[in-house]
Amino acid sequence: MSQGAGLAIGGNAGTRGIGDPLPNIQINLVTDNDMPVAHTFTDGAGRYTFTNLALGTYKVYAEEINKVPYSLNVTLNANNPSQDNVNVSVNSNTAVTGLEDLHDIRIEGVFPNPVNDKATIVLSLKLSSKVKMNLTDVNGRLLQSKSLELNSGVNEIRLDLSGRPSGVCHLSLVSEANKKIIRLVKGF
């Protein structure tokens, strides 16, 4: 668990920097059907652990007041009975969960969310990648699709939702080795 870009948590905002560990952040574990399994809090080094889990697929996310949580699916099976590199970064608006991987797409933030007409998705990649972007409604209907060539480092994607009805939609970003899904709320 680490401090991301933007505002810090707690009274020591002036002393906390990007990448610093964050203690006492609630981490939730739910099934892939969103049934609660367990929760814990990060320790002084920003670490957390869940033990005695059955094999299956879970979602991991941080719970922090006034932060939009982005979960990560983790699958435990006979060939992969544990996962020890699930990281969470708390930014000014978000709590982003991800795995450290060279091909990882890391969501740094979505601004604003809820969206009126236009949103900016800030993400970073360790390596340049071709990414397929799909915007779907809650029923899975494709609203928009685009192929992107993103560079290593920080990238910004501008998304125009003007003319779309209000409600929830999902933005998926798929590279050759990774997939991220972002929940967007379209306001009035």
Side-chain angles (χ1 to χ4, degrees):
M1 182 70 173
S2 66
Q3 172 68 44
L7 301 176
I9 296 172
N12 56 357
T15 61
R16 222 181 263 291
I18 295 174
D20 286 350
L22 291 175
N24 302 317
I25 302 294
Q26 182 175 331
I27 306 294
N28 297 321
L29 183 71
V30 298
T31 66
D32 59 347
N33 295 326
D34 296 319
M35 296 297 295
V37 175
H39 76 277
T40 190
F41 291 87
T42 57
D43 65 16
R47 294 189 179 100
Y48 65 94
T49 302
F50 293 107
T51 58
N52 298 321
L53 299 175
L55 299 180
T57 300
Y58 300 93
K59 294 179 188 175
V60 178
Y61 65 94
E63 188 77 36
E64 186 62 30
I65 294 174
N66 297 323
K67 309 293 181 202
V68 177
Y70 293 100
S71 65
L72 176 75
N73 287 346
V74 174
T75 300
L76 304 177
N77 57 39
N79 295 328
N80 185 35
S82 67
Q83 186 70 266
D84 62 358
N85 56 349
V86 178
N87 298 311
V88 180
S89 177
V90 174
N91 299 307
S92 57
N93 295 318
T94 61
V96 180
T97 308
L99 292 171
E100 284 298 321
D101 187 328
L102 283 177
H103 299 285
D104 194 27
I105 299 170
R106 186 173 179 89
I107 307 300
E108 302 293 344
V110 179
F111 311 97
N113 196 9
V115 179
N116 287 328
D117 290 323
K118 297 183 183 186
T120 300
I121 294 89
V122 180
L123 55 99
S124 60
L125 295 101
K126 290 190 179 178
L127 298 174
S128 296
S129 297
K130 291 180 181 178
V131 175
K132 180 77 169 183
M133 180 186 84
N134 290 322
L135 181 68
T136 57
D137 65 14
V138 292
N139 296 316
R141 287 185 298 242
L142 186 64
L143 303 174
Q144 186 177 343
S145 183
K146 188 186 288 187
S147 293
L148 305 168
E149 300 234 2
L150 301 176
N151 298 316
S152 62
V154 176
N155 294 264
E156 288 187 3
I157 299 171
R158 303 212 191 297
L159 189 62
D160 187 355
L161 296 179
S162 58
R164 302 270 181 225
S166 60
V168 175
C169 55
H170 296 104
L171 180 71
S172 67
L173 300 166
V174 182
S175 69
E176 63 184 55
N178 198 271
K179 179 177 183 178
K180 295 287 184 182
I181 298 176
I182 302 167
R183 183 176 176 265
L184 296 170
V185 178
K186 170 72 165 77
F188 296 102

